[in-house]
Amino acid sequence: MDVVVLGSANADLIVRVARRPGPGETVLGSDTEILPGGKGANVAVAAARLGASVALLGAVGTDANGDLLLDSLRSAGVATDRVRRSPRPTGTAYITVDEAAENSIIVSPGANTDLDVSDVDLTGAKVLACSLEIPVPVVAHAVRTAVRTGVRPVLNLSPVTDFDAFEGLDPLVVNEHEAELLGGDPAELLALGPRSVVITKGGNGALLATPAGVEEVAAPQVDVVDTTGAGDAFVGALSAALADGADLSAAVRLAVRVASKSVTARGAQPSYPTRADLDA
């Protein structure tokens, strides 16, 4: 596999609202859409859509949502032989999207919490792409295994949590809010131990930091429809490009284009472009 992705697989239950409710407030929304999602599954699909050979390491339930996710992964070309079927319900993300295309998300992890260090299998991988919403010790074990075996580890530390396996990450990927929680300044993030850091900045592109310096990558101007899963699109594209031999700067530039394209359509996985879409 070019890319092995370790992360969550969730059913996204999406409701569109004029504005998101405040504390104790009820607002009316649209009909509920049920779409495949989860940070790990999203990253895997985004990478596969760009032509990478991808396997997902994850867990889903034996319920209909688990079938939905496996079908979506397979239709995108993602290998699912490393996805465990769990007796627990498939993870679910409850998502509200307002008229400004901003979202609020509550995640019920379900089967994702069943992943164990014994599930980690990086056979054949060039790049390991990790996200959270799964047990942190499993992610830390996978990163250390990747460093030890010569697989390039990429970690999207989202949501931010206590983590102790920064050494060797290339890169650590966080958004601006997550970067602030970790110290804010790129130099402080590099001091945690990763070889490189990428800070995503939404419509303002991304910042790439290495010991050699800092590079700003601008994003194209697009009409934003739905930002759900844009960060996952970024990580998937970044990982696919690195596995294909691109240097980190070129990989970040591609990832910014892919994430920008993804926000022009609804949903997470359904919005991810192919290379032909980017060329068009």
Side-chain angles (χ1 to χ4, degrees):
M1 292 294 157
D2 294 334
V3 181
V4 169
V5 178
L6 172 64
S8 62
N10 297 326
D12 287 350
L13 275 60
I14 303 171
V15 176
R16 303 184 186 281
V17 294
R19 59 182 177 81
R20 288 170 287 172
E25 183 183 13
T26 299
V27 300
L28 294 179
S30 67
D31 291 346
T32 300
E33 298 177 81
I34 303 178
L35 297 174
K39 297 188 73 63
N42 289 349
V43 168
V45 169
R49 289 261 172 88
L50 296 173
S53 175
V54 184
L56 176 66
L57 268 171
V60 298
T62 57
D63 50 22
N65 284 340
D67 294 337
L68 169 74
L69 282 158
L70 291 176
D71 288 345
S72 176
L73 289 162
R74 290 165 183 156
S75 67
V78 177
T80 59
D81 56 299
R82 306 182 206 195
V83 179
R84 180 199 292 192
R85 299 303 295 259
S86 165
R88 299 191 64 182
T90 298
T92 306
Y94 301 90
I95 303 171
T96 57
V97 182
D98 66 20
E99 290 182 342
E102 295 297 331
N103 60 57
S104 297
I105 304 174
I106 299 172
V107 174
S108 173
N112 293 299
T113 59
D114 273 354
L115 279 171
D116 186 79
V117 294
S118 63
D119 294 313
V120 174
D121 179 2
L122 306 185
T123 303
K126 297 177 182 176
V127 171
L128 167 68
C130 297
S131 58
L132 297 184
E133 298 178 347
I134 62 172
V136 173
V138 179
V139 179
H141 172 75
V143 169
R144 293 189 177 105
T145 300
V147 172
R148 186 177 68 250
T149 58
V151 178
R152 184 170 189 163
V154 175
L155 172 65
N156 181 205
L157 192 63
S158 178
V160 171
T161 188
D162 289 337
F163 193 75
D164 62 357
F166 290 104
E167 294 291 333
L169 291 175
D170 195 14
L172 165 67
V173 181
V174 289
N175 64 26
E176 291 178 289
H177 172 68
E178 293 154 353
E180 286 295 327
L181 293 175
L182 291 171
D185 184 84
E188 292 183 76
L189 301 187
L190 286 170
L192 295 172
R195 296 177 182 173
S196 58
V197 171
V198 173
I199 301 174
T200 59
K201 302 168 68 177
N204 293 320
L207 179 151
L208 165 60
T210 69
V214 174
E215 177 184 352
E216 294 271 3
V217 178
Q221 296 300 304
V222 297
D223 294 324
V224 178
V225 173
D226 184 356
T227 60
T228 304
D232 303 331
F234 183 99
V235 175
L238 178 78
S239 301
L242 292 174
D244 195 39
D247 64 35
L248 186 53
S249 177
V252 171
R253 291 195 296 271
L254 174 68
V256 166
R257 290 179 60 207
V258 169
S260 297
K261 181 71 172 176
S262 77
V263 302
T264 65
R266 288 186 174 184
Q269 293 178 27
S271 73
Y272 295 161
T274 63
R275 288 195 180 272
D277 294 330
L278 291 178
D279 292 341

